[in-house]
Amino acid sequence: ILRREIIRSINEEKRAIVGPALKSREEIVGLVLRDADLVQSMQELARREDRDYQDVVEEASRYLHEIAADYRDSYIAFLDRLLTWVWNNIYDGIVIDREGLIRIRELSKKMPFVVVPCHRSHIDYLLIHYIFYYNNIQLPFIAAGNNLNIWPLGHIFRRAGAFFLRRTFAGDALYRLVFEKYLKVLIQEGHPLEFFIEGGRSRTGKMVMPRYGLLSMVIQAYREKACDDIAVIPVYIGYDRVVEEKSYLRELGGETKAKESTADLVKTRRVLKKRYGHVYLNIGEPIQVREYLARTVPAIDDRSTEERQSLYRKMGYEIALRINKVSVVTPFALVAAALLSHFRRGIAQEDLRTIIDELFDYLHYRKVKFSSTLSNMDRAFLEALNNFESSGLITKMGIDEEDEDEEFAEIIYSVDDESRMGLEYYKNTILHFFIPPAFVAASILSTDEDSVKLEKILADYRFLKTLFWNEFIFDDESDDMEEIRDTLAYMADRGMMARQTTFDNTGCLEVTGRGRISLVPFAGLIQNYIESYWIMLRGSSCLKTRPRGERDLMKRTHKLGMKMFSKGEISRSEALSQANYRGALRYLRDMKIIETADRGAERERKKEGPHLVLTDDRNRLETARQTLFKFVTPR
């Protein structure tokens, strides 16, 4: 018995480190092409389109060779040396969640697993492989966009375990079937997988709304008995600074995303001359699919296609929430948030530190994860400011030797309008922690009254939550009133409220003068989003005259935003963000204020995007404008 247990334990350890026996690419392709469901689908396609069956099989084979990874150990060894050099030369180290890695190793002994990280940088593709390699965890096969299948990157990535997928499967049912069965065979063989829940990289720093296409394929493979169970593991990847910072800024300003090319590799020489701080990797609470589906009512097999999609969407949001919960607060993010929460262009160092302390205090109350560098707040604060100054994101006005008068003897930091978007990225990496106090503060500051009714705060909270439903990841199982009570209890404990009530729906609270001052930074954290949505609500009025293409509407809205900023109608230059406009447009569609018009030739639709028109109920637009306006200029 002891011998059997020792052998079993050794086999488990071996499997956790090296994984199952690895078949060649051609063997995997053969297994996929022999999948019973795929064979039946190809036969039906051949009959339906009156094609020779062998032609359909050859087409499926071409798709598989376009998709499939071609793993080689020699390429992992090469990347190991390359990445070790990269981490040592442009980063100051990788901060790793060791306990989380141990959990992954233990899970890998019991079942296949899927690593589902957030996506901030192209470095993400390499980071998890590197960390798993050095922590004796089997390397996952990773889903990569076809845009990366360029020479020589595509060649290297494919042999490091990447498989490639098209950005859309629309119009090609066979490609989708082939891709689904490829994933199924990998899971059946016991290989771990990795894909990004957001699809593409986040250009804004915050979580992008989750995509659930690949997640649904993983669950479908489980339903088809590819494995007894499978673990989905949320992973947070964060950076003090991202190497793509400048390209993200250009895209948010309205430039078209540049297509990846080999020439970009040459430009990376500039990147290698800079330092980008630390990299952070944290492991969220895993989701075991069998247990998760067992709790769903009705059962997944009893659901319609639409109901199953709703379940996949819910699971995608759960993964995103778990990633947010283990995200790391860095000095760069905290300083950026403090600078942008301030309503003026410049701020004295002492006042900036006060705001940072206020924000830090709330984060500490929330028991979030801080980077180790924040253990010495004074040093971290100054290093982040110096880094931003050397990068040209902020300007420092120091003390002259002859300035003996205390009116002059202070250090001022200012942020130019052109630089605010750069800081916005880092603010957004921690913004989700501040949503409840930001909503409550925005509600309180939207009135001049010192006595504010709870029912007003609740109504405002729900309006802002609906407004930004496509902007932030909300927990749809949380109770709005409970979040408000918790936030108000924190504010009362910090002396922002003169009198604490029972916080029921009929109660009132009194805000102190100091409380109003302390609330301004919290409300300021979302002020640019409020202004972006206000611009879009104003801009959508151009649809009153006639339908317009989506691109035309976005262009006109951006031009209007520039005018409003020049006139002082909005105060934050970071509100002029294409990403924010897109979020506002989704809100207008969800609220049935704007809808897609059935017009325009196919060529025009491709050129301009779908044509949009205001719905017949024009009162909805006016009601939304009136409700939002009170938040545009806090009192």
Side-chain angles (χ1 to χ4, degrees), residues 18 120 208 224 326 416 531:
V18 301
R120 298 293 178 266
V208 177
E224 293 178 10
V326 295
D416 293 335
E531 291 183 350

PDB file of all heavy atoms in Angstrom, residues 18 120 208 224 326 416 531:
ATOM      1  N   VAL A  18       5.195  18.708 -15.440  1.00  0.00           N
ATOM      2  CA  VAL A  18       5.395  18.582 -16.893  1.00  0.00           C
ATOM      3  C   VAL A  18       4.103  18.375 -17.655  1.00  0.00           C
ATOM      4  O   VAL A  18       4.083  18.478 -18.882  1.00  0.00           O
ATOM      5  CB  VAL A  18       6.389  17.433 -17.216  1.00  0.00           C
ATOM      6  CG1 VAL A  18       7.711  17.680 -16.554  1.00  0.00           C
ATOM      7  CG2 VAL A  18       5.812  16.076 -16.794  1.00  0.00           C
ATOM      8  N   ARG A 120      -3.199  43.591 -20.021  1.00  0.00           N
ATOM      9  CA  ARG A 120      -2.719  44.964 -19.966  1.00  0.00           C
ATOM     10  C   ARG A 120      -1.633  45.261 -21.000  1.00  0.00           C
ATOM     11  O   ARG A 120      -1.470  46.384 -21.423  1.00  0.00           O
ATOM     12  CB  ARG A 120      -2.152  45.257 -18.564  1.00  0.00           C
ATOM     13  CG  ARG A 120      -3.168  45.148 -17.441  1.00  0.00           C
ATOM     14  CD  ARG A 120      -4.225  46.227 -17.531  1.00  0.00           C
ATOM     15  NE  ARG A 120      -5.226  46.095 -16.483  1.00  0.00           N
ATOM     16  CZ  ARG A 120      -6.376  45.449 -16.628  1.00  0.00           C
ATOM     17  NH1 ARG A 120      -6.665  44.869 -17.778  1.00  0.00           N
ATOM     18  NH2 ARG A 120      -7.243  45.372 -15.648  1.00  0.00           N
ATOM     19  N   VAL A 208     -11.846  45.649 -19.017  1.00  0.00           N
ATOM     20  CA  VAL A 208     -12.783  45.767 -20.132  1.00  0.00           C
ATOM     21  C   VAL A 208     -13.919  44.778 -19.876  1.00  0.00           C
ATOM     22  O   VAL A 208     -13.736  43.758 -19.200  1.00  0.00           O
ATOM     23  CB  VAL A 208     -12.070  45.443 -21.461  1.00  0.00           C
ATOM     24  CG1 VAL A 208     -13.021  45.490 -22.645  1.00  0.00           C
ATOM     25  CG2 VAL A 208     -10.910  46.409 -21.673  1.00  0.00           C
ATOM     26  N   GLU A 224     -19.391  18.026 -22.908  1.00  0.00           N
ATOM     27  CA  GLU A 224     -19.211  16.907 -23.835  1.00  0.00           C
ATOM     28  C   GLU A 224     -18.274  15.845 -23.268  1.00  0.00           C
ATOM     29  O   GLU A 224     -17.756  15.002 -24.008  1.00  0.00           O
ATOM     30  CB  GLU A 224     -18.687  17.429 -25.172  1.00  0.00           C
ATOM     31  CG  GLU A 224     -19.688  18.289 -25.932  1.00  0.00           C
ATOM     32  CD  GLU A 224     -19.132  18.834 -27.241  1.00  0.00           C
ATOM     33  OE1 GLU A 224     -18.038  18.401 -27.663  1.00  0.00           O
ATOM     34  OE2 GLU A 224     -19.789  19.700 -27.844  1.00  0.00           O
ATOM     35  N   VAL A 326      -8.221  40.964  -6.450  1.00  0.00           N
ATOM     36  CA  VAL A 326      -6.821  40.683  -6.114  1.00  0.00           C
ATOM     37  C   VAL A 326      -5.863  41.623  -6.842  1.00  0.00           C
ATOM     38  O   VAL A 326      -4.660  41.377  -6.878  1.00  0.00           O
ATOM     39  CB  VAL A 326      -6.452  39.210  -6.416  1.00  0.00           C
ATOM     40  CG1 VAL A 326      -7.229  38.272  -5.521  1.00  0.00           C
ATOM     41  CG2 VAL A 326      -6.667  38.857  -7.889  1.00  0.00           C
ATOM     42  N   ASP A 416      -0.274  69.147 -17.093  1.00  0.00           N
ATOM     43  CA  ASP A 416      -0.758  69.765 -18.317  1.00  0.00           C
ATOM     44  C   ASP A 416      -1.938  68.966 -18.861  1.00  0.00           C
ATOM     45  O   ASP A 416      -2.027  67.758 -18.647  1.00  0.00           O
ATOM     46  CB  ASP A 416       0.350  69.818 -19.376  1.00  0.00           C
ATOM     47  CG  ASP A 416       1.478  70.751 -18.968  1.00  0.00           C
ATOM     48  OD1 ASP A 416       1.216  71.663 -18.167  1.00  0.00           O
ATOM     49  OD2 ASP A 416       2.620  70.553 -19.438  1.00  0.00           O
ATOM     50  N   GLU A 531     -18.331  63.723 -17.271  1.00  0.00           N
ATOM     51  CA  GLU A 531     -18.209  64.719 -18.343  1.00  0.00           C
ATOM     52  C   GLU A 531     -18.216  64.049 -19.724  1.00  0.00           C
ATOM     53  O   GLU A 531     -18.810  64.576 -20.669  1.00  0.00           O
ATOM     54  CB  GLU A 531     -16.938  65.541 -18.138  1.00  0.00           C
ATOM     55  CG  GLU A 531     -17.008  66.451 -16.916  1.00  0.00           C
ATOM     56  CD  GLU A 531     -15.772  67.320 -16.744  1.00  0.00           C
ATOM     57  OE1 GLU A 531     -14.774  67.093 -17.457  1.00  0.00           O
ATOM     58  OE2 GLU A 531     -15.797  68.228 -15.890  1.00  0.00           O
TER      59      GLU A 531
END
